[in-house]
Amino acid sequence: MTPSSHYIHCLGRELHYTEWGCAHAEVVIAWHGLARTGRDMDELAQHLSGRYRVICPDNLGRGLSQWSPAPASEYCLDFYVRQAEALVDQLGLTQFHWVGTSMGGAIGTLAAAGPLRGRIRRLVLNDNGPQLAQAAIERIRSYAGSPAAFATVSELEQYFRSVYKPYGWLSDAQWRRLTESSVRRLPDGRVTPHYDPAMVQQFVNYPLDYDLWAAWDSLSLPVLCLRGESSDLLLPETAEAMRVRGPCAAVVNIAGCGHAPALNVPEQLGLVERFLNGA
């Protein structure tokens, strides 16, 4: 099954999304991480598309979605959540599941605690929680705020293989697709990751954006957290607190991964599928 590509205006900004399994009634929203695109969810979406309609947006400022003309006010979780609400409203979705990697998980947490309360039925957090390690945030900010540029796409792929090594195992074809689905060419002819570097202003203008314990403690829906066993972003003590606070998440440590599991191998896909199916 191949996805279809769509564009939609949410709060005055154009968002791009891919859609899989459009004939199905049950829906999954799959939202990517900070400096990535919705194409990261291809394997998961294809796996789920036999039962679910899967919507994989490119977040504002990423992939094929519009870059914000007001980065100081729009690159923040509040605006992303309101765009997510506008997206599902325009698509006529009343209830759905949510799978979010890193930033996508934070958007899902805030949405489930706020404007989409009762509409998100089950929430999967891929290496995300209500408290993130500051050292890891600084690490991500250091490379995301000044994206590397290269003369060739092959060099960019080698860069991605290095910086995203914590994703765990990816096939050569998957590394190639990750690269080709998240590359843009600069005016000087070099290639660079396909996102707006200004999106890291979030960490300057909204330093407490990812402090989500209040939202977490208000949740009552089923939550599955997949934690990369060597993740430097979601620390073991935070994951343990997630088991006993708020919705009391089921937490599974994913071997061979850091931040964040790529959701591309049978073990990880099966965990998500069984949880969404209520098993």
Side-chain angles (χ1 to χ4, degrees), residues 25-274:
E26 289 191 86
V27 178
V28 176
I29 305 295
W31 211 288
H32 64 82
L34 182 74
R36 299 299 310 138
T37 80
R39 295 295 305 279
D40 282 10
M41 298 295 187
D42 276 10
E43 278 79 22
L44 177 68
Q46 184 172 39
H47 183 80
L48 295 176
S49 63
R51 171 171 174 171
Y52 296 98
R53 177 187 179 192
V54 188
I55 307 294
C56 306
D58 288 344
N59 199 79
L60 181 73
R62 284 76 160 180
L64 297 178
S65 289
Q66 181 178 357
W67 288 16
S68 173
S73 60
E74 294 184 357
Y75 288 144
C76 63
L77 291 182
D78 175 72
F79 194 76
Y80 301 157
V81 168
R82 290 192 286 125
Q83 282 200 313
E85 180 186 18
L87 173 69
V88 297
D89 283 350
Q90 289 189 59
L91 294 179
L93 307 179
T94 56
Q95 288 199 322
F96 41 88
H97 303 304
W98 187 287
V99 179
T101 292
S102 194
M103 177 195 69
I107 296 169
T109 297
L110 282 176
L116 300 182
R117 180 179 291 274
R119 295 172 66 180
I120 297 179
R121 296 170 54 202
R122 287 176 173 263
L123 175 63
V124 179
L125 303 179
N126 184 28
D127 213 60
N128 176 262
Q131 180 178 335
L132 306 179
Q134 189 60 40
I137 290 176
E138 292 303 321
R139 173 181 62 80
I140 295 169
R141 179 181 168 187
S142 68
Y143 72 75
S146 302
F150 302 93
T152 67
V153 174
S154 297
E155 290 173 287
L156 179 63
E157 179 180 327
Q158 291 306 310
Y159 167 77
F160 281 146
R161 284 175 179 256
S162 175
V163 75
Y164 294 134
K165 185 176 181 180
Y167 282 14
W169 181 87
L170 279 79
S171 69
D172 288 343
Q174 288 169 344
W175 280 118
R176 180 61 49 85
R177 194 210 70 231
L178 180 152
T179 303
E180 292 181 346
S181 63
S182 56
V183 59
R184 64 184 176 92
R185 197 169 292 278
L186 295 167
D188 65 5
R190 294 180 301 162
V191 291
T192 194
H194 206 322
Y195 64 82
D196 180 1
M199 59 86 173
V200 298
Q201 291 184 21
Q202 176 183 17
F203 297 105
V204 176
N205 298 323
Y206 303 90
L208 301 180
D209 231 11
Y210 288 89
D211 183 0
L212 304 182
W213 279 119
W216 178 261
D217 288 335
S218 77
L219 296 179
S220 58
L221 78 170
V223 179
L224 170 66
C225 174
L226 305 181
R227 178 184 177 272
E229 68 173 351
S230 60
S231 174
D232 63 344
L233 191 75
L234 180 59
L235 299 180
E237 54 267 31
T238 303
E240 183 58 33
M242 293 168 68
R243 295 179 191 268
V244 298
R245 289 181 59 170
C248 298
V251 179
V252 180
N253 285 301
I254 305 300
C257 297
H259 182 74
L263 303 181
N264 67 321
V265 295
E267 177 196 7
Q268 297 167 28
L269 299 174
L271 283 167
V272 174
E273 180 183 24
R274 288 190 295 272

